[in-house]
Amino acid sequence: MDEPTTPAPVIEPGYTFGTVTDKISSIVLTRPTSNGWLLGFGVAFLVSMGLLYAVGYLFLRGVGIWGVNIPVGWGFAIVNFVWWIGIGHAGTLISAILLLLRQSWRNSINRFAEAMTLFAVACAGMFPILHLGRPWLAYWLFPYPNTMRVWPQFRSPLVWDVFAVSTYGTISLLFWYVGLIPDLATLRDRSENRGAQIIYGMLAMGWRGSARHWARYETAYLLLAGLATPLVLSVHTVVSFDFAISILPGWHTTIFPPYFVAGAIYSGFAMVLMLAIPIRKFYGLEDFITDRHLNNSAKVMLATGLIVAYGYGMEAFMGWYSGNRYDSFLLWNRLHGPYAFFYYLLLISNLAIPQVLWIRKLRTSPFWLFLISGVILVGMWLERFIIVVVSLHRDFLTSSWGMYYPTRWDWMTYVGTIGFFLACMFLFLRLLPMISIFEMRTLLPEAEVKAE
Amino acid sequence: MKRTSIYGMMAEFDTPGDLVSAARRTYEAGYKKIDAYTPFPIEELSEAIGFHRNSVPLVVLIGGILGGCSGFGLQYWIHVINYPINVGGRPLNSWPAFIVVTFEMTILFAGIFAVLGMLALNGLPMPYHPVFNVPRFAFASKDRFFLIIFSSDPKYDAASTRRFLESLAPRSIAEVPS
């Protein structure tokens, strides 16, 4: 066996097509459901029942149970919406952009990162609908011929958002499912349980790995990646338009789109690491999700984190340089207002602490990366809190100033979506191959066809 | 015993390299109706079995154009024709504001066309297919590489085709009942 060289391998040596297939598919097919899984799923499921309870009460009583008021009409719901949808972006970045850039190390983390995207978008999508006040009329957001003879206002960024997020959800689902088809065929052929054979067989749609099919499949997959790349950059751009197109100080800035996209990828990679580190430990997948994956993800976080830092710097600079009294007041209010504590916490967790990722030792240490990723997720949540709440609570007129305090229903809904997200992840890990088997096969040295 | 018709003759190989060279030799030997089955995509293979016409990109292009036009058309029709609202005297056809939805619809349609087009051109979903009658074919989704010569090929003949496939030194050969 060769000595480990730098950079660390994407997949540890010694594997064959057969052993890669068996290792990944046995997690789903033959490994008994562990007590750890049952406990984790059980807790996540209970927490998501909390979400159901909070939403049920919301339907009964209306958004008055939340802390939102005038002037702060966009409370936790929009903070959480932006946070979740940002987390989703890393999955698409890994699966689409890194595919186009031929970064083959992505092959072992793209599947569960895409699943993470789907569940994060599902969590994100709930919030604007719950925030509508009359969520049962959410279909009014879509243009359809109706007896009221009215249409959505397409010049509004909020309508753009409906299209951007629903397109993003649909394309993410298609991309994920197309990637799954060959692996579902593997599960169909490996499974010894009749029920599983039928279910995986139906989902695989009769995939048989024909060379003609693979040629069309590869083209379609590559084109989907090419379509998903501008899409993922557009989604958070459109989300930032919800803010940037208004005239509120703190929102009305041209730096929002790039800074939102960078922040999205920043928090998304943090979530990928927070999931990948325990998964590779509990399922013994250190050979497939190697230190190289941790190192590369940490580097992406470091780079996007610096873009975010530039964004903060520019916001502060423009507050001073524009000479606009409302903009400079916003800066003062962030640093000295009632929510200043959270702004400093944000600076510490998003700017200061992640700088330790410059140290190579920490970039490959699962324990420290897990902690730093957690800090970044908190920091990115605080960023959205600062953007939404601090900008809204004191705007132009002193007479219309106010304060925002989240209620227990706000917290219950937010924590509930985390439970829902984790419950979905647990089910995914148990029922579907969490690593793309066919893409892992292409990484093996024996997959090379020697030129004649 | 019931007579079953034959779908083709299948040979099994151990490595992608063996399969690609076997496919090339089969194609050069004059067998044109052939296919190969592999557990992962192999770039050289579609060339080797003589597959050149891949119309997925065209389908995606049509989807994208259709999506873009219908996205812009929808907004134009709503805001200029069916439900015009004058906002501060700005033009009804305020096209810069329509770009986002036009873009999203382009991506949405192109993506859906890519997936459904790929499946339709591949003839999927197809729950039954003769190749699954070969027990060893279950390894085509794991670590084995298969080559098939269809019985519809004019050169196909049970005895001579088997002899030819044997000359390629496969791991096993099986007749595929349809």
Side-chain angles (χ1 to χ4, degrees):
Chain A
M1 209 179 277
D2 293 336
E3 285 292 307
T5 49
T6 40
V10 175
I11 174 168
E12 292 293 336
Y15 279 97
T16 65
F17 298 136
T19 52
V20 164
T21 310
D22 289 339
K23 189 163 171 128
I24 303 171
S25 61
S26 69
I27 292 173
V28 178
L29 293 176
T30 52
R31 188 187 159 104
T33 308
S34 67
N35 289 334
W37 186 91
L38 281 174
L39 181 75
F41 176 72
V43 171
F45 186 76
L46 279 180
V47 176
S48 59
M49 287 299 103
L51 170 70
L52 202 61
Y53 184 65
V55 170
Y57 194 64
L58 176 83
F59 278 26
L60 206 63
R61 299 293 301 274
V63 285
I65 64 167
W66 287 351
V68 287
N69 53 35
I70 300 298
V72 187
W74 283 9
F76 262 36
I78 304 304
V79 174
N80 297 335
F81 162 69
V82 181
W83 188 71
W84 274 121
I85 198 116
I87 284 171
H89 278 44
T92 321
L93 180 103
I94 290 168
S95 56
I97 300 183
L98 296 185
L99 177 76
L100 295 181
L101 296 176
R102 294 184 169 273
Q103 296 293 311
S104 55
W105 58 277
R106 76 179 256 294
N107 284 10
S108 48
I109 54 172
N110 69 333
R111 171 69 48 72
F112 80 80
E114 283 169 43
M116 177 198 83
T117 294
L118 275 180
F119 306 143
V121 171
C123 290
M126 283 182 222
F127 282 104
I129 291 175
L130 296 177
H131 189 253
L132 286 177
R134 288 187 288 169
W136 49 92
L137 298 178
Y139 61 93
W140 283 10
L141 292 165
F142 289 98
Y144 71 101
N146 56 70
T147 50
M148 301 172 285
R149 300 195 62 207
V150 293
W151 293 95
Q153 170 57 282
F154 280 101
R155 299 182 188 100
S156 157
L158 300 180
V159 173
W160 303 347
D161 219 21
V162 173
F163 277 80
V165 173
S166 53
T167 300
Y168 184 49
T170 312
I171 296 289
S172 301
L173 181 67
L174 287 175
F175 201 50
W176 183 68
Y177 182 63
V178 167
L180 267 171
I181 290 173
D183 286 358
L184 290 168
T186 300
L187 291 186
R188 170 198 68 201
D189 296 341
R190 297 287 91 211
S191 170
E192 277 158 20
N193 173 321
R194 187 73 192 138
Q197 284 174 348
I198 291 174
I199 292 169
Y200 289 127
M202 300 274 262
L203 291 172
M205 297 196 291
W207 180 262
R208 52 189 188 274
S210 152
R212 287 182 174 77
H213 291 187
W214 275 123
R216 295 196 188 98
Y217 178 92
E218 283 284 279
T219 313
Y221 199 64
L222 212 57
L223 286 172
L224 269 179
L227 292 166
T229 298
L231 177 67
V232 68
L233 298 178
S234 85
V235 173
H236 230 61
T237 303
V238 173
V239 169
S240 82
F241 285 166
D242 292 343
F243 300 93
I245 286 186
S246 76
I247 55 162
L248 195 73
W251 289 4
H252 185 68
T253 117
T254 47
I255 204 170
F256 259 32
Y259 148 59
F260 263 53
V261 172
I265 291 163
Y266 190 36
S267 60
F269 265 88
M271 187 60 104
V272 166
L273 283 176
M274 283 203 89
L275 295 173
I277 290 169
I279 286 173
R280 74 173 208 150
K281 175 132 186 65
F282 292 129
Y283 288 97
L285 292 171
E286 279 95 343
D287 290 350
F288 295 164
I289 304 173
T290 63
D291 287 351
R292 173 139 168 226
H293 295 96
L294 303 185
N295 192 7
N296 284 358
S297 308
K299 283 178 185 166
V300 174
M301 287 202 306
L302 188 58
T304 48
L306 289 172
I307 301 176
V308 169
Y310 175 79
Y312 296 161
M314 266 303 133
E315 271 192 325
F317 173 75
M318 290 312 290
W320 166 75
Y321 184 72
S322 68
N324 180 311
R325 57 188 290 207
Y326 300 107
D327 276 346
S328 26
F329 171 73
L330 177 84
L331 182 62
W332 181 90
N333 193 32
R334 278 184 179 175
L335 292 168
H336 306 287
Y339 296 106
F341 171 75
F342 297 105
Y343 191 62
Y344 291 113
L345 202 59
L346 156 73
L347 293 181
I348 292 167
S349 51
N350 257 4
L351 300 191
I353 292 176
Q355 298 313 313
V356 300
L357 292 174
W358 289 101
I359 306 163
R360 174 188 275 273
K361 245 207 174 85
L362 291 183
R363 283 203 308 267
T364 49
S365 150
F367 173 77
W368 286 107
L369 267 186
F370 186 80
L371 277 188
I372 296 164
S373 301
V375 168
I376 290 172
L377 280 174
V378 172
M380 284 308 295
W381 188 88
L382 285 170
E383 178 198 303
R384 277 64 181 257
F385 181 83
I386 297 291
I387 289 174
V388 171
V389 174
V390 177
S391 309
L392 276 173
H393 91 118
R394 289 179 174 176
D395 62 358
F396 303 100
L397 283 177
T398 325
S399 58
S400 67
W401 286 4
M403 284 297 286
Y404 170 80
Y405 302 102
T407 63
R408 63 194 143 129
W409 298 105
D410 282 307
W411 284 109
M412 205 162 158
T413 315
Y414 173 47
V415 175
T417 51
I418 297 177
F420 174 75
F421 173 81
L422 290 177
C424 290
M425 276 314 284
F426 273 109
L427 284 177
F428 160 73
L429 294 177
R430 184 69 193 81
L431 297 174
L432 291 168
M434 69 177 94
I435 294 178
S436 174
I437 306 174
F438 86 91
E439 284 175 307
M440 288 304 278
R441 293 188 193 114
T442 63
L443 291 183
L444 296 170
E446 56 176 331
E448 296 274 320
V449 177
K450 285 166 212 82
E452 283 175 70
Chain B
M1 214 177 122
K2 218 178 112 198
R3 263 180 54 129
T4 48
S5 58
I6 296 302
Y7 182 72
M9 188 88 73
M10 192 183 255
E12 174 188 354
F13 297 90
D14 276 326
T15 69
D18 291 349
L19 175 69
V20 171
S21 57
R24 283 204 183 109
R25 281 173 57 191
T26 311
Y27 195 76
E28 280 157 18
Y31 292 102
K32 300 298 176 200
K33 290 194 173 167
I34 58 175
D35 202 351
Y37 303 95
T38 57
F40 56 86
I42 299 169
E43 222 179 316
E44 297 87 345
L45 198 57
S46 53
E47 196 79 13
I49 61 159
F51 174 70
H52 302 289
R53 230 159 31 93
N54 184 346
S55 27
V56 171
L58 181 69
V59 172
V60 177
L61 178 69
I62 292 170
I65 292 173
L66 208 65
C69 292
S70 58
F72 191 85
L74 175 80
Q75 299 175 81
Y76 184 88
W77 181 77
I78 286 173
H79 282 319
V80 179
I81 298 165
N82 187 258
Y83 194 63
I85 303 175
N86 186 334
V87 183
R90 289 178 183 82
L92 290 175
N93 178 23
S94 45
W95 63 268
F98 298 162
I99 285 177
V100 173
V101 172
T102 307
F103 170 78
E104 302 295 343
M105 293 283 281
T106 309
I107 301 278
L108 181 68
F109 272 57
I112 291 174
F113 269 58
V115 175
L116 296 185
M118 182 270 286
L119 291 176
L121 289 168
N122 283 348
L124 300 174
M126 186 183 282
Y128 172 79
H129 195 273
V131 290
F132 290 113
N133 291 332
V134 179
R136 289 198 63 80
F137 189 73
F139 292 96
S141 63
K142 187 184 179 192
D143 55 355
R144 293 282 187 271
F145 303 82
F146 292 84
L147 180 71
I148 190 171
I149 301 176
F150 296 122
S151 59
S152 54
D153 191 282
K155 263 192 84 176
Y156 186 88
D157 169 79
S160 71
T161 303
R162 181 179 280 270
R163 260 199 310 282
F164 172 75
L165 283 176
E166 271 163 4
S167 75
L168 300 172
R171 187 190 170 93
S172 73
I173 293 181
E175 209 161 52
V176 184
S178 71

